Amino acid sequence: MALFAVQYTYTDDADRVAIYRPEHREHLDELHREGTLLLSGPLGGGPGGLLIVTAESEEDALAKLDGDPFKREGVIIDRVAREWTVVIGEVPGA
């Protein structure tokens, strides 16, 4: 298993984001409890977020996030996964 940084870019429709945010966060909490999602949170500078997940590949990282209500409802307009190697410090649960 490797670590992957997944960047979400959201729609500019703040109302749409707000409607589905509780369900989105509930889903991410579930992924966190099972150990797939290690960290997540919004990014500054525009609507989007960063998630750190454990997976076998970039494709696997995105597949593990396919159940996100934000994806289902079109809140996420772009997703990019990149393998991330921690050089300094430790990631909880990794």
Side-chain angles (χ1 to χ4, degrees):
M1 277 301 177
L3 292 176
F4 290 84
V6 179
Q7 183 174 348
Y8 280 178
T9 303
Y10 301 151
T11 178
D12 288 335
D13 185 343
D15 291 336
R16 188 170 188 79
V17 173
I19 288 168
Y20 296 105
R21 183 178 288 123
E23 189 179 357
H24 161 74
R25 288 193 175 161
E26 183 178 312
H27 177 73
L28 294 184
D29 281 341
E30 182 178 317
L31 291 176
H32 184 260
R33 284 190 299 275
E34 73 182 29
T36 297
L37 175 67
L38 303 180
L39 301 164
S40 73
L43 286 171
L50 182 68
L51 302 88
I52 306 298
V53 300
T54 60
E56 296 292 334
S57 65
E58 290 177 10
E59 295 80 12
D60 184 41
L62 293 175
K64 288 182 174 196
L65 297 169
D66 277 347
D68 191 331
F70 271 9
K71 183 175 186 299
R72 180 191 71 221
E73 299 299 335
V75 172
I76 298 168
I77 59 172
D78 190 34
R79 304 185 304 169
V80 177
R82 295 177 60 191
E83 189 168 355
W84 184 46
T85 302
V86 177
V87 176
I88 297 172
E90 295 180 26
V91 176

